Amino acid sequence: MRQSRFAVRVSSLLLAAACTFTGATTAQAAPQTVATGYAALGDSYSSGVGAGTYIASSGNCLRSNHAYPALWASTHAVSSFAFAACNGARTSDVMNRQLGSLTRRTGLVSLTVGGSDSGFSDVMMTCVLRGTTACVSANADARTYMDTSLPGDLDRLYAAISRRAPAARVVVLGYPHLYKLSGSCMAGLSDTARAAVNRSVDRLNTVIAKRVADHGFTYADVAGAFSGHEICSASPWLRSVNLLAVVESYHPTSTGQSHGYLPVFARSA
């Protein structure tokens, strides 16, 4: 079985420490901190909204045991697992409420953030309730925010993560297209509106990927993993509007977490 990059890194650190101690004959080696902890930060796509089986103690953050961070941590030997991701979190929320879980012992950080900053919940409400013209306009406004304000928000957050966890490998995951165009949906948004939403997702991912690269982090693109499994596809891994649990609308199902996000994260960890 191929080891994850995180596991290889930890093994290398341990081997180096062993060689240091066994080869020292006249001087005592300085103690080294081995960074093996894992912290999962971010918004609803990382907390697992839509996947069900929410952890009672997580309250309105709606963290799920079916979310990709919990699934990954359950099969890897990490010294600690801090599951801090929270429904609705913006970059400022992650900065102010989630970075306390990071230390110099944190060896791996995962993160999804930017969708809430860009107002995707309001955009989707506009698209559902006000029609195609309003939907296209709302998406254009969201893309303007992505181009002008979001890069600075991400820069501040990424710099703070580096300061708090300098030894960590940081994997920032993107977002999937929400819709398959010309798909099987018989009602709902027009294809023009659906295309506008997908364009906004593309722009968001592009902005995130650029900032990630500039900070030396790893960007993990999930769009390919979800291809053919969008809303209006034959086998969707994303929830459409859910009137019984509105907060779960437009989020990955448990299958979307385990078959979409988890494999992509595992390849980058």
Side-chain angles (χ1 to χ4, degrees):
M1 181 181 297
R2 185 174 71 85
Q3 289 181 300
S4 71
R5 295 182 186 179
F6 178 64
V8 170
R9 186 175 182 181
V10 170
S11 299
S12 298
L13 287 170
L14 293 173
L15 179 59
C19 291
T20 298
F21 283 111
T22 56
T25 56
T26 59
Q28 183 176 0
Q32 297 184 15
T33 298
V34 178
T36 61
Y38 168 38
L41 313 178
D43 58 20
S44 53
Y45 274 61
S46 286
S47 71
V49 173
T53 314
Y54 302 114
I55 301 168
S57 61
S58 70
N60 291 333
C61 285
L62 297 177
R63 300 184 190 107
S64 171
N65 285 317
H66 293 312
Y68 76 86
L71 295 174
W72 191 90
S74 69
T75 58
H76 290 77
V78 293
S79 61
S80 62
F81 173 44
F83 195 4
C86 188
N87 177 46
R90 299 170 179 252
T91 52
S92 58
D93 297 317
V94 177
M95 177 96 73
N96 297 326
R97 302 174 186 174
Q98 298 183 22
L99 299 193
S101 60
L102 302 183
T103 71
R104 291 186 175 274
R105 292 183 177 274
T106 304
L108 179 64
V109 175
S110 65
L111 175 67
T112 56
V113 74
S116 295
D117 295 74
S118 304
F120 256 101
S121 293
D122 291 338
V123 167
M124 295 313 302
M125 184 176 297
T126 297
C127 290
V128 169
L129 298 178
R130 295 178 55 195
T132 296
T133 300
C135 179
V136 170
S137 177
N139 275 279
D141 290 343
R143 291 195 293 272
T144 297
Y145 179 89
M146 295 170 197
D147 290 338
T148 57
S149 298
L150 185 59
D153 297 337
L154 294 174
D155 281 338
R156 286 185 286 273
L157 174 59
Y158 294 167
I161 291 173
S162 292
R163 289 193 299 270
R164 293 296 297 260
R169 178 177 181 80
V170 181
V171 180
V172 181
L173 298 96
Y175 298 88
H177 278 171
L178 294 186
Y179 287 101
K180 177 177 175 59
L181 302 183
S182 302
S184 59
C185 293
M186 301 301 293
L189 274 60
S190 68
D191 258 12
T192 298
R194 291 167 184 159
V197 172
N198 285 352
R199 285 197 300 273
S200 294
V201 173
D202 286 338
R203 182 75 60 84
L204 177 58
N205 286 337
T206 297
V207 171
I208 291 172
K210 176 62 168 63
R211 307 321 305 151
V212 166
D214 287 351
H215 285 265
F217 296 166
T218 298
Y219 176 70
D221 186 358
V222 301
F226 278 84
S227 179
H229 299 286
E230 307 92 341
I231 298 168
C232 299
S233 69
S235 177
W237 293 351
L238 292 153
R239 295 188 184 277
S240 185
V241 176
N242 183 353
L243 296 179
L244 298 179
V246 175
V247 71
E248 293 188 333
S249 302
Y250 305 111
H251 285 87
T253 63
S254 59
T255 303
Q257 289 284 340
S258 63
H259 287 63
Y261 269 93
L262 179 61
V264 173
F265 175 59
R267 289 193 294 271
S268 301

